[in-house]
Amino acid sequence: MLQIDIYANSNRLSTRNPYIKGLWAGAGLLIAIMTSNVYVHMAITVLAALAVVLMAGIKFTAYLKLFRIPASFLLLSIATILVSVSPARGDFLVSVKLLGFYFGISDGSLNMAMMLLTRSLACLSATYFISLTIPLNQIILILKKIRTPRSVIEMTVLMYRFISVFIEEFSDMQNALEMKSGYRNFKTSYRSVSILAGTLFLRVMNSYKDWKTALEVKNYNGNFYV
Amino acid sequence: MIKTNDLFYEYKDGTIALKDINIDLNKGSITGIIGGNGAGKSTLFLNLMGILRPTAGSIEFKNENIKYSKSYLNEYRQKISLVFQDPDKQIFYSNVFDDVAFALRNIGYSEDEVKKKVNDSLKETGIYEIKERPVHFLSYGQKKRVAIAGVIAMDCDVILLDEPTAGLDPVMTHGIAGIIRKLAAQGKKIVISSHDMNFIYDICNYVYILKKGEIVKQGTGEEVFLDEPVLKECGLEQPWLVKIHKKLGIPLFKKEEHLYKYWSEENADSSDRNQP
């Protein structure tokens, strides 16, 4: 089971009105994208964090940990924006000369990087607010309200269900391999991963057959009602 | 209501899964089908559902052979349904309500009727309180109930249950038995396949033993389970009530409560005798 999914279904905001939660998060996202003001972005980030930690009751450390993976992407891309290359020293605030070129940070790139960093953080926070406080069954209600095409909602519903089935299969097999010392060293790990991928594929195909039979029993007619 | 006439089924690879099966669900309200692994129980169920088409022989529903046209099967599957062994392979929605409602909406009931039928069946299976929880947060036993609720909601005349108690704890098993009895009391025909001999002996009033695709014995629970050699041959065993009847010479009881009652009365007699 996904940790993030557990949070979504078991926090103090889980059962609250989905539309209000969605409205807040949506507003946060929109404002973050439309304004370029660093302070507004920061305010959204802080407000989202406060809502998740104080109102929803999710531990602050757990919340911070969720930022680890996106943060690594973020820092890498910010670094490339921050540093520019030029044949002359020009208006660089700080620079290094390397192979006849100047690598440095200019006033403009600094502002740009700062703005992008805070905007990304604000958007990320608003998105996390959605995924941490609105369980999927409520997200479906919101999608219906904003008139998302039906087939998109159908796919969302089915994917959500199947991801959890898939993860369960995966973790069972992973445990079995671990138990049989499948990950003792580099070589066995390699083999274990290939076994895992192969078996998972076969199981998915087998399950597909069983699902098809179950659909027939339930008089499936091409529509998943949502 | 449902009868098979010399049902014969051969898989594409040539293995014969069912051979001249004649079963009649009118012989009992709760019919048990037992047999070792690979005896053909699941294949029989898929044939009864019209998912697999018999190689020879036929299935009779209300004195008429079933047809394999889409429209007939659609009608037919509103009257008869199947609960699979693995609940995870028949639950499509992570929302309990939507999943139980799935077949009803496929049939085309109005949303008000769907709501009523679903809520009733959720109450009947005792999972009304958890209907808001996503399916993958439920225990195996609860998922099993969701699967059964989906079939109950359709209000079928015949319900097939493939291994309804496999993997359940004793309390859950009793719960499922209770649900099955309630359904039978409403006049529905129930067919159960199981490896749990005590469960079958307790709940079924007619039993078929299947071995390598053939029916080797049939009769009431008592008749079938007294035939120890056949049971052994099929990889099965006697229920404990039958065992103590055979080994200890205690009269044969259908329910354990009857045995306890008999026992306490017996002992009351003997303690009377011991009194001066």
Side-chain angles (χ1 to χ4, degrees):
Chain A
M1 223 182 281
L2 283 175
Q3 187 61 39
I4 203 164
D5 201 30
I6 297 177
Y7 288 139
N9 282 287
S10 57
N11 68 69
R12 292 203 292 260
L13 288 180
S14 294
T15 52
R16 292 302 185 84
N17 187 328
Y19 305 118
I20 294 176
K21 287 184 288 189
L23 210 62
W24 274 102
L29 260 177
L30 263 180
I31 294 171
I33 291 167
M34 293 203 308
T35 65
S36 312
N37 189 319
V38 174
Y39 297 105
V40 173
H41 295 161
M42 282 179 174
I44 292 171
T45 311
V46 172
L47 276 178
L50 286 178
V52 166
V53 175
L54 295 181
M55 290 170 76
I58 290 165
K59 275 199 193 132
F60 184 60
T61 45
Y63 182 64
L64 268 190
K65 268 190 195 159
L66 289 175
F67 281 87
R68 277 191 308 195
I69 293 170
S72 58
F73 287 103
L74 199 56
L75 290 179
L76 267 177
S77 44
I78 291 296
T80 57
I81 290 167
L82 201 56
V83 178
S84 36
V85 190
S86 162
R89 178 171 265 152
D91 53 357
F92 281 149
L93 299 173
V94 210
S95 62
V96 197
K97 195 178 177 196
L98 209 68
L99 303 164
F101 286 100
Y102 288 95
F103 291 81
I105 301 169
S106 69
D107 204 31
S109 70
L110 187 64
N111 283 335
M112 184 68 158
M114 190 65 187
M115 199 269 288
L116 282 179
L117 178 72
T118 53
R119 175 182 282 170
S120 314
L121 278 178
C123 291
L124 206 57
S125 306
T127 317
Y128 272 144
F129 178 78
I130 295 176
S131 42
L132 287 173
T133 63
I134 314 182
L136 196 106
N137 290 337
Q138 289 186 1
I139 292 185
I140 301 299
L141 293 178
I142 298 176
L143 288 178
K144 273 196 219 168
K145 195 101 189 168
I146 59 173
R147 309 196 173 210
T148 314
R150 238 181 77 161
S151 43
V152 174
I153 303 182
E154 275 180 20
M155 273 198 288
T156 316
V157 168
L158 291 178
M159 270 164 70
Y160 179 62
R161 169 85 184 110
F162 283 97
I163 285 174
S164 65
V165 173
F166 191 79
I167 288 178
E168 245 165 66
E169 293 255 295
F170 171 83
S171 71
D172 282 352
M173 265 187 263
Q174 180 82 342
N175 289 341
L177 282 168
E178 193 110 31
M179 217 165 53
K180 297 185 177 182
S181 322
Y183 296 103
R184 268 176 76 114
N185 56 44
F186 193 68
K187 208 177 140 196
T188 60
S189 303
Y190 240 81
R191 195 165 37 199
S192 294
V193 169
S194 80
I195 291 173
L196 187 70
T199 323
L200 216 46
F201 176 73
L202 284 178
R203 288 230 194 148
V204 167
M205 292 317 283
N206 270 334
S207 303
Y208 166 73
K209 274 190 228 150
D210 295 336
W211 288 101
K212 236 177 74 180
T213 315
L215 279 177
E216 250 185 89
V217 168
K218 295 189 177 205
N219 274 328
Y220 175 64
N221 57 14
N223 270 329
F224 275 98
Y225 298 85
V226 286
Chain B
M1 200 175 290
I2 289 195
K3 245 174 93 177
T4 67
N5 299 318
D6 295 327
L7 189 71
F8 190 96
Y9 187 82
E10 187 181 333
Y11 275 105
K12 279 188 196 115
D13 62 358
T15 33
I16 291 164
L18 299 173
K19 221 176 184 172
D20 305 330
I21 301 280
N22 287 297
I23 59 171
D24 184 353
L25 297 189
N26 277 329
K27 289 190 174 163
S29 57
I30 306 179
T31 305
I33 293 180
I34 56 174
N37 294 111
K41 302 187 295 289
S42 299
T43 313
L44 176 60
F45 276 5
L46 292 180
N47 271 283
L48 287 177
M49 284 306 302
I51 303 253
L52 298 178
R53 199 173 173 161
T55 322
S58 62
I59 296 162
E60 235 176 69
F61 178 61
K62 293 189 172 157
N63 304 319
E64 195 187 328
N65 280 355
I66 68 165
K67 298 177 198 71
Y68 292 86
S69 67
K70 205 167 159 71
S71 60
Y72 184 89
L73 286 177
N74 270 340
E75 285 291 313
Y76 180 63
R77 288 184 190 140
Q78 293 174 34
K79 306 277 165 45
I80 167 168
S81 199
L82 164 63
V83 179
F84 294 87
Q85 181 178 351
D86 185 353
D88 261 324
K89 293 203 168 140
Q90 56 197 306
I91 299 176
F92 292 89
Y93 291 80
S94 62
N95 180 333
V96 173
F97 186 95
D98 279 339
D99 193 78
V100 175
F102 184 44
L104 295 172
R105 287 171 175 161
N106 285 340
I107 295 168
Y109 280 105
S110 76
E111 207 47 35
D112 286 342
E113 276 176 290
V114 168
K115 203 166 180 181
K116 190 184 170 299
K117 281 173 190 278
V118 171
N119 282 336
D120 286 350
S121 72
L122 288 176
K123 279 174 196 153
E124 201 161 335
T125 44
I127 47 171
Y128 187 75
E129 295 72 32
I130 54 167
K131 70 169 176 172
E132 298 292 330
R133 230 177 294 166
V135 165
H136 54 282
F137 281 76
L138 305 182
S139 73
Y140 185 80
Q142 288 168 328
K143 283 189 214 169
K144 198 107 187 179
R145 280 170 184 241
V146 173
I148 294 178
V151 169
I152 289 180
M154 294 218 284
D155 198 18
C156 297
D157 301 335
V158 182
I159 298 174
L160 314 176
L161 296 133
D162 195 358
E163 295 279 357
T165 60
L168 297 183
D169 64 38
V171 173
M172 272 292 178
T173 306
H174 287 308
I176 298 283
I179 294 171
I180 292 174
R181 284 207 180 90
K182 242 199 279 176
L183 291 172
Q186 290 164 14
K188 298 178 193 308
K189 295 269 176 227
I190 312 284
V191 188
I192 302 170
S193 91
S194 178
H195 287 136
D196 184 344
M197 296 302 124
N198 291 315
F199 179 71
I200 291 283
Y201 180 69
D202 179 42
I203 203 164
C204 294
N205 33 40
Y206 203 82
V207 177
Y208 291 92
I209 304 185
L210 216 55
K211 186 193 171 199
K212 290 186 182 155
E214 279 180 280
I215 288 172
V216 288
K217 193 162 181 80
Q218 56 173 297
T220 62
E222 287 89 342
E223 280 165 19
V224 164
F225 284 116
L226 279 171
D227 195 341
E228 202 184 357
V230 169
L231 287 169
K232 275 225 169 102
E233 230 177 83
C234 298
L236 305 169
E237 64 166 0
Q238 290 178 314
W240 69 272
L241 281 167
V242 179
K243 273 189 202 160
I244 57 168
H245 162 66
K246 280 270 188 160
K247 303 252 154 67
L248 305 177
I250 292 167
L252 182 59
F253 294 103
K254 178 94 170 128
K255 305 232 173 278
E256 54 182 299
E257 291 77 28
H258 299 167
L259 166 68
Y260 302 146
K261 197 168 161 241
Y262 160 82
W263 195 257
S264 58
E265 277 166 9
E266 277 290 291
N267 282 357
D269 287 354
S270 57
S271 55
D272 283 348
R273 252 177 274 135
N274 289 341
Q275 264 161 19

